[in-house]
Amino acid sequence: EIVLTQSPGTLSLSPGERASLSCRASQSVSSNYLAWYQQKLGQAPRLLISGASSRATGIPDRFSGSGSGTDFTLTISRLEPEDFAVYYCQQYGSSRTFGQGTKVEIK
Amino acid sequence: QVQLVQSGTEVKKPGASVKVSCQASGYSFSSYSFSWVRQAPGQGLEWMGWISAYNGKTIYAQDFQDRVTLTTDTLTSTAYMELRSLRSDDTAIYYCAREWAYTGYFDYWGQGTLVTVSS
């Protein structure tokens, strides 16, 4: 099973700042089959990125994904108030597993 | 618009079974598949299994293989997840999520169903 480790566990930032979230896999993720989701309190997750870097429909361009192999990054270029949430990475190259999440909180 | 509407909160005793439904609308039901994902209180996301709404083929996560059954009903555009032999650590929110074929990522999610297992 591919284990995904997200860091940091919590990111404290102010609106307007840049956020960089890391997702590291225990082995290479085939074909960069990696997705990112945003989850707000009391809501279901929302797909942001698939294929490591393709934004889902309706996702603002301040969200971008990058990386390959075992190291992936979600970047939010300028945090908006509605971006404070928990973010999960998920690999789907070998079955499916999720990371443990990164909470982006207001500083 | 695409909607996945799940059934309501369940409270079950240890050893019982639960069946959660997920009714889809706003798209061609048989053209997509479903995955089921659960989230224990304050915890992360855990994939349980996948079912094709086209032909009923299933793939289960190893941790759930012996206790979960996924089904679909094309007449009512509804997907179901049944979990048996419930334990207290099965207490969680259970989500259905839409997936194109077996692509592996989930573009729409249900609102979640809380299942509480307690004696």
Side-chain angles (χ1 to χ4, degrees):
Chain A
E1 176 181 293
I2 296 179
V3 176
L4 300 178
T5 302
Q6 293 187 239
S7 60
T10 302
L11 200 50
S12 298
L13 295 168
S14 300
E17 289 193 295
R18 180 185 185 91
S20 289
L21 287 65
S22 172
C23 177
R24 181 161 290 176
S26 60
Q27 55 189 280
S28 184
V29 177
S30 65
S31 303
N32 294 333
Y33 284 159
L34 189 108
W36 289 93
Y37 300 87
Q38 176 194 68
Q39 187 177 34
K40 297 180 180 178
L41 195 62
Q43 296 185 16
R46 176 174 74 143
L47 176 68
L48 299 175
I49 301 283
S50 62
S53 60
S54 297
R55 268 190 305 277
T57 303
I59 301 303
D61 60 8
R62 64 180 181 272
F63 291 92
S64 63
S66 63
S68 64
T70 60
D71 289 300
F72 299 88
T73 301
L74 175 70
T75 301
I76 310 171
S77 58
R78 288 181 317 279
L79 283 163
E80 297 287 341
E82 62 268 26
D83 298 338
F84 292 91
V86 180
Y87 292 84
Y88 293 95
C89 59
Q90 177 230 338
Q91 68 80 24
Y92 49 99
S94 173
S95 187
R96 294 98 187 272
T97 51
F98 291 88
Q100 82 281 14
T102 289
K103 181 180 182 180
V104 179
E105 66 175 22
I106 299 176
K107 188 174 181 180
Chain B
Q1 74 282 22
V2 174
Q3 281 194 301
L4 302 178
V5 178
Q6 298 185 222
S7 49
T9 298
E10 301 267 10
V11 179
K12 296 292 183 181
K13 294 195 181 303
S17 298
V18 68
K19 192 169 186 177
V20 178
S21 67
C22 170
Q23 185 164 40
S25 62
Y27 72 95
S28 174
F29 181 77
S30 298
S31 297
Y32 287 80
S33 305
F34 291 89
S35 271
W36 288 83
V37 176
R38 75 177 186 180
Q39 186 170 37
Q43 302 300 309
L45 302 166
E46 183 178 24
W47 180 71
M48 301 176 67
W50 169 93
I51 183 166
S52 166
Y54 174 70
N55 59 15
K57 180 179 177 180
T58 54
I59 298 174
Y60 297 119
Q62 197 161 5
D63 286 352
F64 298 97
Q65 205 156 346
D66 296 334
R67 296 197 296 136
V68 72
T69 301
L70 303 183
T71 56
T72 58
D73 181 343
T74 55
L75 291 179
T76 59
S77 298
T78 303
Y80 297 92
M81 184 283 300
E82 182 179 33
L83 187 61
R84 301 177 293 278
S85 303
L86 289 167
R87 310 183 290 249
S88 57
D89 62 358
D90 290 318
T91 294
I93 297 173
Y94 290 77
Y95 294 102
C96 61
R98 193 184 80 160
E99 183 176 342
W100 171 255
Y102 191 62
T103 47
Y105 60 90
F106 318 123
D107 61 353
Y108 284 92
W109 295 63
Q111 84 277 18
T113 296
L114 174 62
V115 176
T116 301
V117 182
S118 174
S119 54

